[in-house]
Structure formats: C-alpha cells, structure tokens
Amino acid sequence: MVKLSVIVPFFNVRQYAPDTLRSLEANTGPDVEILLVDDCSTDDTPDLLERAERRLPGARLLRHERNRGIAAARNTGLEAARGRYVTFLDGDDWLVPGHYGRLVAAMDDLGCDFVRTDHVRSTGRERVVQRVPHGRRGRVMSPRSAILPADRSTSVDHPFVWADVYHRRLEDRGLLRFTEGLHTCEDRLWTWRMHRGADSFAVLNLYGVFYRRGVASSLTRIGDERQLDFLRAFDLVLAETAEDPDGEELLPKVVRTYCAMMHHHLAADADGRYQPEVGRKLRALSAAALRRMPQDVLEHTLDSMDAERATRLRRLRRRPAVGAAA
C-alpha cells in the first residue's frame, strides 16, 4: 500500500531540478510514490524527468500538453495519487534525507488531518529557518483556532503548502484541490480553506524542506500583470469567509491581511517594480477592492494600522471609480 504521495510540479527548472531529484532519491521507500508533473516545459526539464522516472523507485511522470500553471499541475498529481497521505514539493526546492519518513511517522502518531512544519529559506548562500507562526508544537488542535488574532501573524499567514503533509480524507471534502487560473496567491486561498474546513492539525519542530528564493524566473521577481491575481485570490478569501458561520469574527483577519498585501504591491509599484500600465491597473483595481470590503471592518483595520500604510490606503479608497485601466 502506498502511504505517501509526493506531488512535484516542474516548469523550465533545468538549472535546479537535479538538486530536487537527488533529494527525492534520498527520500524514497517502498511506501512512497513520487508524481513528477511536467507542466509543458520548453527547456531540458522533460529529459531530466524521463531519466528520473526510470531511476527513482515509485516515480511516475505525468505530462501536460500545454502550460497550465502550478495549481493545475498539483491537481493533476492529486488525480493520480494513491497514498493515504499527500505532500507537495516545488521543482526548484530540495529536501534533507529521510524527511518524508519523519513526516509519515508524525501523521501516524498524531492522527490529525494535516501537519505543518517549518522550513529553511535559501537565498544564495544564506540559510534562514522560517517557522510556522504557531506556538503550540506537537499538539493536535482545531485549525480554526490558529486563524486569529487579526493583528498578529498566524498560521494562515504562512502559505507554504509544500512544507506540510495532509491526510487523503481531506480530498473527500474538496480541500486538497487548488483553484486553477490564479497566477499568484493560490497558496494563500488554499491555506485559508484548509484552516476553515479541516477538523484537526498540528505543528512540529521539524524542518526538512529547503525553499529556494531569488530564482530569476520566479513570478515574485517579475513585475507583470500576473502579480495582480493576488486581488482575485483575496476577493475569494473574503467572499468565502463572509459565508462562514464564524465569518463576523474572522473577517477582520481577512481584511487586514488583504490590506497588507495590497500595500506591499503598491509600495513595490512606487519603487518602479511594475510597468506604468500595470501600476495604473493595480491602483484602480485596489481602489475598487477597498470599496467592496465591509466598510466598518475596513475602517477599524485602517485605524489600527501604522500611519504610512493607513494614509496610502485611505487616499487610494477615495480615488474616483474610473475603471480598471485608468
């Protein structure tokens, strides 16, 4: 019986994929399957994956005939997965040897819906441990209890889904599927759904995933229009949370996080990161989003933010509604 399904999307990561594949080789076992999903790469990545499928025990190569994005690639892996537990890895990251054995042992021991772990952020030669912002370690709890408070970083602000492991029963509730068509922040939407929909989780003092930052092809380093999908993602978080039985209590957290993300992008635009036409669209869409938010919650949020961020967002909210292209 397959105990763990590892879903790894790849797209044009020829430079980094060998490290990823070597680390997977150090994490194989008779109860582990590795689903290598090629999202229609145009470099030498497909050749690497073909060789890896032959070499790695339990590996299967799945191909997209057109590029569909990381959300669709993860969903393709989910459709093929047979394991009791599921985890993800990105095609330019890597693992320490034996990490998956420790994850499986934790899931067997705790019996919860999902387990979150810390990870190591790798930027050039720098290594920094990134901890899940949750103080109670090794204790099974309700994921809802880890959403608040609104004014502090919590587990929903840590959208690194590839550092965690999930029980397959969550698929029956529709919680493992990713929303396709979003170019960014699909992980944040997914993390919010997981914390609202799952029954139990735990956070461990365990870090075995190395997350590579500073990749030139990463969308976080490309200031084009795809970055604006954070607005669509958070509109969905806002709408779904408003329909939740605890929506009134949880909405201040959504609004505050949405405002923080919005300000981050507006500041990047002010620094010249975006092309002028993309910056204009960012400001117009952000102004419209601010006006769509529950205004009482938004006003309370702005009152509690620092003066610089609150002033920029209030000024933006007062912009005339002249269309997204203005």
Side-chain angles (χ1 to χ4, degrees):
M1 178 181 177
V2 175
K3 206 159 194 179
L4 179 68
S5 297
V6 184
I7 298 169
V8 196
F10 294 84
F11 177 66
N12 288 354
V13 286
R14 170 64 182 83
Q15 180 180 354
Y16 308 109
D19 291 339
T20 305
L21 294 169
R22 278 193 294 269
S23 74
L24 285 167
E25 191 168 10
N27 278 273
T28 57
D31 55 354
V32 176
E33 68 172 359
I34 300 172
L35 302 168
L36 310 170
V37 186
D38 177 34
D39 193 22
C40 198
S41 296
T42 57
D43 62 2
D44 294 334
T45 300
D47 295 335
L48 288 174
L49 298 183
E50 287 177 4
R51 292 196 292 271
E53 183 183 32
R54 294 192 294 268
R55 186 180 76 250
L56 291 177
R60 283 188 285 157
L61 176 56
L62 310 172
R63 299 179 186 271
H64 283 175
E65 294 185 359
R66 60 181 177 84
N67 180 251
R68 295 168 52 194
I70 193 167
R74 288 171 176 163
N75 287 343
T76 293
L78 284 169
E79 290 165 6
R82 299 171 297 173
R84 179 186 303 170
Y85 309 133
V86 174
T87 191
F88 304 95
L89 183 69
D90 284 355
D92 51 7
D93 298 337
W94 74 97
L95 311 156
V96 299
H99 178 61
Y100 286 151
R102 290 184 282 274
L103 279 185
V104 167
M107 285 293 282
D108 284 346
D109 180 54
L110 294 168
C112 53
D113 285 341
F114 66 103
V115 164
R116 308 212 69 185
T117 74
D118 306 324
H119 66 272
V120 180
R121 185 182 67 199
S122 172
T123 308
R125 294 180 179 274
E126 182 185 50
R127 304 287 187 268
V128 179
V129 174
Q130 301 288 290
R131 289 175 57 83
V132 182
H134 184 79
R136 298 181 178 179
R137 300 287 168 125
R139 177 179 173 185
V140 177
M141 301 179 63
S142 164
R144 282 179 177 262
S145 70
I147 295 175
L148 298 175
D151 60 350
R152 282 170 38 197
S153 183
T154 68
S155 188
V156 289
D157 302 310
H158 194 80
F160 303 106
V161 304
W162 33 255
D164 307 332
V165 61
Y166 311 90
H167 199 289
R168 187 58 182 272
R169 60 178 169 251
L170 295 172
E171 174 73 356
D172 298 334
R173 306 183 203 173
L175 293 176
L176 292 182
R177 297 287 167 144
F178 289 81
T179 298
E180 300 184 20
L182 292 172
H183 293 99
T184 188
C185 280
E186 79 288 337
D187 289 354
R188 288 185 178 271
L189 172 61
W190 194 89
T191 300
W192 267 91
R193 287 173 174 167
M194 186 65 65
H195 276 271
R196 289 197 318 265
D199 292 330
S200 59
F201 90 123
V203 180
L204 300 183
N205 288 318
L206 177 67
Y207 50 91
V209 180
F210 282 72
Y211 166 46
R212 195 188 301 273
R213 290 291 302 271
V215 177
S217 60
S218 172
L219 186 58
T220 59
R221 293 173 61 87
I222 301 173
D224 67 15
E225 193 168 329
R226 291 174 294 176
Q227 288 275 24
L228 305 189
D229 273 5
F230 84 90
L231 293 151
R232 291 203 296 134
F234 270 96
D235 277 348
L236 286 169
V237 176
L238 191 65
E240 292 174 4
T241 304
E243 295 297 321
D244 189 272
D246 298 322
E248 185 175 349
E249 182 182 6
L250 299 178
L251 277 175
K253 176 67 174 178
V254 181
V255 171
R256 188 178 186 88
T257 309
Y258 198 167
C259 285
M261 288 289 296
M262 190 180 294
H263 184 271
H264 168 79
H265 285 271
L266 292 166
D269 177 52
D271 289 340
R273 176 171 159 181
Y274 291 112
Q275 294 293 321
E277 64 275 14
V278 178
R280 287 193 293 271
K281 188 169 185 179
L282 167 66
R283 293 188 294 275
L285 289 173
S286 296
L290 287 168
R291 290 190 289 269
R292 287 195 302 273
M293 293 179 191
Q295 294 302 295
D296 56 336
V297 178
L298 175 60
E299 196 58 43
H300 178 77
T301 297
L302 295 176
D303 285 343
S304 65
M305 296 179 84
D306 63 87
E308 191 273 334
R309 289 195 296 174
T311 298
R312 172 175 271 165
L313 294 173
R314 283 197 170 100
R315 186 183 300 125
L316 187 64
R317 184 175 53 165
R318 292 195 296 267
R319 280 176 52 120
V322 291

